[in-house]
Amino acid sequence: MSFKMKYEVKADYIAKGKRRPGTFITPKFGVLHDTGNPGSTAKNNRDYFNNTPNDPTSASAHTFIDDKVIIESVPATTGKTERAHHVRYQMPQDNALYGDDSNDIGIGVELCFGGKINFEEAYKRYVWYCAYVSYKFGFSPKKWIGHEKLDPDRKTDPTNALKKYGKTYAGLLADIIKEYEECTKEITSAAPKPKPEDIKEADDMLEKAVVINAFPDFPFAELLASRIKAPIYVRGALPSGKIAKEVFVVGGTKDGLQADSFVMLTGKNRFEVAAAVNAYLNR
Ligand SMILES: [Zn+2]
C-alpha cells in the first residue's frame, strides 16, 4: 500500500534542549492541537520554539501546519522519530486509551489559524498530514484524539480553532479517516480500467500495413503506403503478433509475419522490388 503525497513535509528541526530532548519514540497514535495563537504561522511557531530551547515548560510539538507549509520541528516522519512534549504526563486518558503517555508514543500536530492564514488550505494540509502520519506509522486513522479530550480542564484545542470556521471536532476525525482512505485507495487501484473506446480500438485491427525488408526499399514503399494509407514497418522492428489484416510485403518473404492476407511485392533485387511496387500502383 502506498500513500498519495499531496504536500511536501518540510524538516526544520528546533535546537536540542528541554523542548527536544532527542530521545526516540515509536508512535502509536496522534494528538490534535491548535496553536491557540491566531495569526502565528508554522514558521513563526517553529522559530519561537527554536529560540527558547530550554524554556522551563519544555513544551513542544512535532509538526506545525499553516496554509502554505507543513513543518516538522521535531522529527516525526522526516527523520528518526523523537519525543515532543505536547500533553501533560499526569493526564490519565492517553494511558487508558492507548497504553502510554502521549509524549512517549504520540505525534503532536498543531494547526495554525487566524490572521492572514487561509483556514481552508491549512485545514486540508492538517487533515492530510494526520492521515499520512497514520499511514507512515501503521496505526489506524481512527487513533487521533484532541488535546481537549486528554486535558479537558485546561485545554480547548483543536475545537477552539475549528469552531471559528464552522468545523467541528467530530468532523475533523471523520475527515482524517476519509483522507486516509482516499490517499491509500487511489494508488492501490492505480491500474486504469480500459475505457469502452480503448476496447473498441484494440478490436479495430489495422486494415493494411506495409512491411519493408530494409531501408533501401523505403522510397517505393512510401509511395505505396501513401496510396493505400497504411503505416510502414521495417522487418526486425515489428510489433509482436498480427500487425494488420492485410500486409503488403515490399522485399523479402512473408516468413514470420502474421496477417489474414498478403500482397507480395518482392523480387531478387531492389530493382525488381521497385518494379513490383510500380506494377501494383499502376495496375
Ligand atoms: Zn494542545
Side-chain angles (χ1 to χ4, degrees):
M1 183 170 72
S2 22
F3 198 86
K4 187 173 182 177
M5 296 304 287
K6 289 186 182 175
Y7 304 104
E8 183 192 358
V9 179
K10 198 174 159 194
D12 192 3
Y13 306 146
I14 59 172
K16 289 204 177 154
K18 282 199 170 74
R19 294 191 191 277
R20 185 190 166 198
T23 43
F24 299 120
I25 65 165
T26 302
K28 300 277 171 48
F29 72 101
V31 182
L32 302 159
H33 300 268
D34 69 58
T35 62
N37 187 9
S40 68
T41 65
K43 176 75 170 150
N44 293 155
N45 278 278
R46 179 265 165 206
D47 289 349
Y48 171 75
F49 281 71
N50 184 55
N51 295 335
T52 53
N54 292 310
D55 184 271
T57 67
S58 77
S60 57
H62 289 97
T63 311
F64 294 95
I65 299 172
D66 64 22
D67 56 340
K68 305 222 166 46
V69 286
I70 298 171
I71 297 177
E72 287 190 0
S73 69
V74 172
T77 67
T78 52
K80 192 170 177 191
T81 313
E82 295 179 22
R83 170 181 294 118
H85 296 135
H86 49 106
V87 178
R88 286 192 296 163
Y89 269 105
Q90 60 267 44
M91 295 293 101
Q93 193 67 4
D94 42 10
N95 304 72
L97 284 169
Y98 307 113
D100 208 340
D101 289 300
S102 300
N103 300 336
D104 292 342
I105 60 163
I107 297 292
V109 183
E110 300 268 358
L111 173 65
C112 302
F113 65 98
K116 289 180 179 159
I117 297 166
N118 176 326
F119 184 79
E120 284 299 322
E121 287 300 318
Y123 183 80
K124 277 197 268 182
R125 284 163 177 75
Y126 185 61
V127 166
W128 175 84
Y129 179 78
C130 292
Y132 173 58
V133 166
S134 283
Y135 163 79
K136 185 85 178 174
F137 297 111
F139 63 75
S140 164
K142 292 174 184 162
K143 289 189 173 175
W144 283 90
I145 190 166
H147 197 185
E148 66 202 66
K149 302 291 180 197
L150 299 175
D151 194 353
D153 293 340
R154 296 192 326 145
K155 294 292 178 179
T156 58
D157 61 325
T159 295
N160 162 56
L162 300 176
K163 70 180 183 199
K164 298 184 205 308
Y165 304 92
K167 301 278 188 192
T168 63
Y169 176 70
L172 170 61
L173 298 183
D175 285 342
I176 293 170
I177 294 166
K178 196 168 146 236
E179 182 76 357
Y180 179 93
E181 285 166 359
E182 281 177 16
C183 288
T184 50
K185 183 182 67 192
E186 280 188 35
I187 295 177
T188 49
S189 64
K193 289 195 181 72
K195 289 172 292 189
E197 309 92 272
D198 293 341
I199 294 169
K200 188 178 164 288
E201 227 164 54
D203 286 343
D204 246 350
M205 167 61 59
L206 210 52
E207 286 293 328
K208 295 173 195 229
V210 176
V211 174
I212 60 174
N213 209 29
F215 275 106
D217 296 328
F218 191 81
F220 333 126
E222 200 178 22
L223 280 175
L224 171 68
S226 71
R227 178 76 65 86
I228 64 173
K229 295 185 173 37
I232 301 175
Y233 293 101
V234 180
R235 203 184 293 270
L238 287 168
S240 61
K242 187 169 145 184
I243 56 172
K245 289 177 185 164
E246 185 174 31
V247 167
F248 290 72
V249 179
V250 178
T253 68
K254 63 178 183 177
D255 291 354
L257 301 177
Q258 292 180 40
D260 296 335
S261 64
F262 291 95
V263 176
M264 303 302 295
L265 304 173
T266 62
K268 286 199 276 296
N269 56 44
R270 196 180 306 161
F271 307 104
E272 288 189 18
V273 172
V277 172
N278 208 33
Y280 180 83
L281 292 174
N282 295 316
R283 79 194 190 287

